[in-house]
Amino acid sequence: GAGLLVLALYLISSGSSSEQHGKEPPGPRPLPLLGNLLQLDLKRLDLALYELSKKYGSVFTVHLGPKKMVVLAGYKAVKEALVNHAEDFGERGILPIAAELNNGHGIVFSNGDSWKEMRRFALTNLRDYGMGKKASEEKIIEEVRYLIEVFEEQKGKAFDTTQPMNYAVSNIICSIVFGSRFEYSDPHFRNNVDRVNETIRLGGTIPIQFTNMFPWLGPFLKTRTRMLTNNNSNKQEMRKLVRGLMETLNPQMCRGFIDSFLVRKQTLEKSGNMSSHYHNENLIQSVMNLFAAGTDTTSTTLRWGLMLMAKYPKIQDQVQEEISKVIGCRHPLVEDRKNMPYTDAVIHETQRLANIVPMAIPHITSRDITFQGYLIKKGTFVTPLLTSVLCDESEWESPQNFNPAHFLDENGQFVKKDAFMPFSAGRRVCLGEGLARMELFIFFTSLLQHFRFSPPPGVTEEDLDLKPSVGFTLSPSHHQLCAVTRV
Ligand code: HEM
């Protein structure tokens, strides 16, 4: 009798747990067609979702119009999904606008074998042309000199750092992919960089969010047309540049990513492999991805850094003291970082607070998954809410403040934090993380070595507004700074 009772209890409990496995993550009740749109402020969707996580927990469902999306909130859930279940959560969710712009090619908005091959190839090449070799560090150091010249030309008067910063950072990608840089005054170069950045900014606007939810709206929306036109112009320019490199290609002396790609393509074609992933569309799209993902992000972070220095002059003092002590007058090198815990902490804290890619880039589940007791079906869009990780109250002492001590121990030594995830994590972690970190360190220390940053005359430190301007990334809202040369 007792045995039967135990068996019955076992069956009941296993029955109820399998029911639990069948339950989808909770969330606000959706209206037909509109989903939860009426409850969500699309201007700061990341913050609206962060608020919902306080009610529904670390895994929940929202409906953006008719589209269902699962949100992962807080360090623990994001890490568990992206790192511990890397394969299940490691595919890219491709929104309609991204599909139109990329056609499934390249690195950022592709999946499967093509993605794997392009990502691997880009990583190897970033190592060879971007961050591994000593020469690449020198490229960044060389580029900083041009940027410093532009800042010096302002003679301490207030100016907007956006364009020079974009051109300098874009030139790092140019030297990796083409093997050469451009003058900031070159009108073609300026146009290309400005167009890439405009496209990224438009990517986060409300009309584009609407085309992603209701693709039939697309043809009526000017913003979408503008994005597509920009993208086509840049593609054409890129094709021209690739043709130029092709004409002067020397397989023994690859100048950069594009040469390496062309050589690999030719080798595969010669060996009769016609179905390889090394075709022109993948080349053009991968290079465009490196520009789009690698320019605005790094440049925006640096601009946040300078603005924060102007806003918090005492912190700027401490960075400059450390620069004087460790570097003096020679130019900064990557290896200085380990001797500069305070500056390292300031750069990390800038990235944490600036939170420039607040919702990462959408992922999609590769199979039916049971995650934290909930069923998430194959093909569900998943957003790792980086805002909720970088501001996670259980991970950071004062998440809303600019506080470099988040990354320092009581002896002033640098401490790594697992919840520092501005580059996301797992299989789709930012491919340019190593390069970006190197750029941030050299650009930031070199600029602070040369200049004292302050608000324009008549503007107080309190006036410098940390409320971001929202595009696909969160950037500092329009402002000017004075860069006074230090003696
Ligand atoms: C993806 C952040 C700089 C190339 C990403 C993602 C984030 C990110 C959050 C999405 C990861 C995900 O899907 O979960 C940043 C930040 C940067 C930066 C904060 C600078 C401060 C760069 C640079 C490059 C780059 C310099 C190129 C050289 C890429 C690429 C992807 C990516 C190609 C797509 C990876 C894939 O889908 O496999 N980045 N990024 N990023 N990033 Fe970055």
Side-chain angles (χ1 to χ4, degrees), residues 82 90 92 107-110 115 119 122 126 169 173 176 286 289-299 301-302 351 356-363 384 386 421-433 435-437 439-440 472:
L82 300 192
R92 177 66 71 220
I107 312 163
V108 185
F109 296 104
S110 62
W115 164 75
R119 180 167 169 115
L126 279 189
V169 171
I173 307 288
I176 290 167
S286 297
N289 283 167
L290 293 179
F291 276 106
T295 305
D296 174 82
T297 45
T298 312
S299 156
T301 306
L302 284 165
Q351 286 202 270
I356 64 162
V357 196
M359 304 202 293
I361 305 173
H363 290 224
L386 298 185
M421 242 187 227
F423 298 101
S424 189
R427 201 163 167 252
R428 288 285 181 160
V429 65
C430 173
L431 176 124
E433 174 173 357
L435 175 68
R437 287 166 46 86
E439 290 185 68
L440 293 179
F472 172 70

Side-chain angles (χ1 to χ4, degrees), residues 95-135:
L95 293 167
I97 190 75
E100 281 192 280
L101 296 171
N102 294 266
N103 281 319
H105 300 307
I107 312 163
V108 185
F109 296 104
S110 62
N111 278 313
D113 289 344
S114 180
W115 164 75
K116 216 179 253 174
E117 192 63 41
M118 292 302 109
R119 180 167 169 115
R120 194 166 27 194
F121 185 78
L123 271 173
T124 310
N125 276 277
L126 279 189
R127 250 191 309 272
D128 291 352
Y129 300 108
M131 49 212 225
K133 288 190 187 154
K134 191 90 188 134

